Amino acid sequence: MPHKNLKQTGFDEMNLSPDVFAVLQTVGYEIPTPIQTLTIPRMIECKDLLGQARTGTGKTAAFALPLLSRINLENKRPQVLVVTPTRELAIQVAQSFNDYGAKMKGLNVLAVYGGQSYSVQLNQLKRGAHVIVGTPGRLMDHMRRKTLCLADLTGLVLDEADEMLQMGFIDDVEWILSQIPQPTQIALFSATMPAPIQKIAGKYLKNPEKVIIRQESDVTNTIHQKFLMVKNINKSDALVRILEASFHDGVIVFTRTRNDTMTLTKILEEKGFKTEALNGEIAQAARERTVNRLKNGSIDILVATDVAARGLDVDRISHVINYDMPSKIDPYIHRIGRTGRAGRTGEAILFVQPKEKWMLKQIEKATLRKIEEIALPSNREINEKRMDDFKNKIYQTIGTEDLCVFTDLVESTAKEQDISISQVAAALAKMLQGNTPFLPETMAHKSAAKKKGTKAEIKAKSPVAPKQKQTPARLTPNKIAPTEKGMERYRIEVGHKHGLKPGDVVGAISNESGLESKFIGAINIDYDYSLVDLPFGMPKNIFNLLKMTWVKSQKMSISKYAC
Ligand code: AMP
């Protein structure tokens, strides 16, 4: 986490106790983070501190290392108290104290929080603890019952004070502050500094040093983070839908276990995605081959565990999907950092089960970003994407292949049988697709119903049927129903080739003319123009307005349609 204008001080210059300093090698911290550089020397000097920093900045070590450094292990009474808003954070912070104090023989750290039995906590408190980490309500209870004695306290930390304010604990916090012995060093950490927090700081902190850390994580700047609330049993369906509906390039899906990488790979393969698994069980050479296949586009999706994807550097990763919630912030940051590489932007989608909401909050804090909630893609979105993909394939083929022979063939087929080019094209598409439904049933049925009569029409024009009068295929209006009573038909010069959809026509007309969409009648989109039915007797000024209206970057150039 680079921090501009900050003189780099090493841990060795910070007067940490030998036991605490020694542990840093074990946990692998080589360089202090900015908040540690600014906080540790001040806390070692027993100064009060007001820190504006979020989770993920290394804040826990910033207060735990100096506080642990001055603990007297002989004294079994609490010397350090940390107040946290939630039990999860209390457990996490207590664990960090245990980790950083791993070389301090006999160190006892205790987490006390609501929801845990009093008798268990009482026994633990009786045995004695050097460090207590707890939530305000339960701490207050123990203090009132005199089961928690803070007479020997030397350091108090209020962690995530703004959260405590938001959760309505601020009076409890103030009560705790009013009960602690003097002098106790106080460090208050908060991501934001709303007025009530500043008031408490002004009242209880003595000439506090102010430390502000803005974490500008390069990683999260280029990555659009989203989350989807989803129950465990619906996750694989949700994944398939998201993959179907998104315009993705390479994708990494993160799962918790090796088994899940295999199961999910199978599911995705069955759905037609080019997928492979990457986990610790796969031999190194095979792993390299898989990564190369992802790089060169032979596969698009990698289902991986954290360990297997460590350091993976593939530019074409457009999406990271956190199928299983990571257990900590670090792996999350690492996972999402697999996308948004080489100057590109990326998308990270996190699956959140209802019970994992608290972790989502932790991640938002750590990445300094609000994570946007998304909904499961609907059938309609998936269908639209399938149709877009289908069209793109056609455009690509037109752009890259020599189609002369086929063009002649299609034209002569249409001419001979007096059928439209679109009917020939539809038949070819059907031949290509086989019996697998192109669109999920609902939509396919709807479009079949909409086109009722078309089949009969084709039959009538089948090779055995007598030939009918020929009309140019693209302009064939014969399948369009007559105008309803009270309506007139108009032509606009925008069509399929411009990517026009009925919704675009409705939107443009109702926005410009003020005509409610329910009054807009049948819309028929053809290749380069469309027909739309509107109420009889359109006022001239509206007609002129619509002539000038643009849709899909084209002027509508509306005109009365004379069939
Ligand atoms: P925190 O803000 O306390 O939740 O810490 C965020 C993460 O940074 C934790 O996973 C720590 O293990 C890690 N961390 C803290 N300090 C350092 C450091 N100096 N070097 C490397 N990692 C660190």
Side-chain angles (χ1 to χ4, degrees), residues 203-461:
K203 191 165 165 192
Y204 293 96
L205 273 61
K206 298 162 290 295
N207 299 322
E209 295 274 0
K210 292 198 180 90
V211 172
I212 299 179
I213 297 294
R214 293 190 204 293
Q215 185 195 35
E216 288 299 344
S217 165
D218 295 336
V219 168
T220 47
N221 280 343
T222 51
I223 301 166
H224 196 173
Q225 299 180 76
K226 299 174 174 179
F227 78 91
L228 176 81
M229 284 303 298
V230 58
K231 288 194 185 136
N232 200 28
I233 80 162
N234 299 330
K235 276 196 201 174
S236 58
D237 280 348
L239 177 65
V240 171
R241 273 182 175 267
I242 283 178
L243 290 172
E244 275 242 38
S246 65
F247 287 89
H248 61 75
D249 194 2
V251 180
I252 305 184
V253 179
F254 280 98
T255 63
R256 193 169 296 131
T257 67
R258 293 170 186 181
N259 258 352
D260 289 344
T261 64
M262 309 304 288
T263 325
L264 215 48
T265 299
K266 205 155 170 261
I267 293 174
L268 295 179
E269 273 178 336
E270 277 165 11
K271 293 282 176 189
F273 296 105
K274 291 181 277 172
T275 312
E276 278 182 29
L278 195 75
N279 61 49
E281 240 167 35
I282 297 167
Q284 185 58 27
R287 281 162 66 168
E288 277 169 24
R289 279 198 297 276
T290 297
V291 173
N292 281 335
R293 278 199 286 275
L294 181 66
K295 277 186 183 161
N296 66 29
S298 314
I299 57 165
D300 293 323
I301 300 171
L302 200 66
V303 186
T305 54
D306 286 311
V307 180
R310 198 164 281 162
L312 199 94
D313 191 3
V314 180
D315 291 352
R316 65 178 283 254
I317 302 302
S318 63
H319 287 67
V320 163
I321 299 183
N322 288 291
Y323 186 84
D324 288 323
M325 176 69 80
S327 54
K328 285 188 185 158
I329 306 288
D330 269 5
Y332 175 79
I333 304 272
H334 178 268
R335 286 176 179 191
I336 67 169
R338 298 311 95 207
T339 179
R341 302 181 81 78
R344 303 179 193 194
T345 53
E347 206 164 280
I349 300 173
L350 175 66
F351 283 10
V352 183
Q353 294 183 57
K355 63 178 180 193
E356 295 167 335
K357 269 191 187 158
W358 68 273
M359 187 64 186
L360 172 71
K361 280 190 131 195
Q362 298 288 320
I363 292 174
E364 284 186 330
K365 278 192 210 150
T367 57
L368 300 183
R369 293 283 183 283
K370 183 104 191 93
I371 303 184
E372 179 200 337
E373 180 163 14
I374 53 166
L376 200 62
S378 63
N379 266 0
R380 199 170 147 219
E381 284 167 275
I382 291 173
N383 287 336
E384 277 177 7
K385 171 69 175 23
R386 284 191 191 177
M387 289 194 271
D388 282 341
D389 285 350
F390 179 78
K391 286 177 197 168
N392 281 336
K393 266 190 213 155
I394 294 177
Y395 302 147
Q396 237 174 23
T397 313
I398 291 174
T400 54
E401 305 287 337
D402 178 3
L403 299 175
C404 285
V405 177
F406 294 106
T407 315
D408 290 348
L409 193 59
V410 166
E411 278 177 358
S412 63
T413 310
K415 209 169 170 185
E416 278 164 25
Q417 301 307 326
D418 189 15
I419 50 177
S420 69
I421 298 278
S422 46
Q423 283 168 334
V424 179
L428 289 171
K430 173 73 181 125
M431 280 154 62
L432 198 70
Q433 181 72 15
N435 285 331
T436 324
F438 179 56
L439 303 176
E441 326 78 275
T442 47
M443 182 97 170
H445 285 160
K446 250 193 216 161
S447 66
K450 220 171 92 188
K451 298 224 157 38
K452 234 161 114 185
T454 314
K455 216 169 163 186
E457 212 176 291
I458 295 170
K459 246 191 200 155
K461 291 172 189 172

Side-chain angles (χ1 to χ4, degrees), residues 522-533:
I523 297 171
N524 265 285
I525 300 182
D526 215 304
Y527 179 67
D528 53 2
Y529 76 102
S530 305
L531 301 177
V532 51
D533 292 354

Side-chain angles (χ1 to χ4, degrees), residues 11 29-33 36 54-61 100 330:
F11 281 121
Y29 298 178
E30 288 168 7
I31 307 162
T33 67
Q36 291 160 1
R54 297 171 196 250
T55 309
T57 50
K59 169 175 57 109
T60 319
Y100 302 138
D330 269 5

Side-chain angles (χ1 to χ4, degrees), residues 13-33:
E13 299 167 79
M14 290 183 169
N15 289 328
L16 294 168
S17 73
D19 280 349
V20 169
F21 180 68
V23 116
L24 295 177
Q25 266 100 57
T26 325
V27 289
Y29 298 178
E30 288 168 7
I31 307 162
T33 67

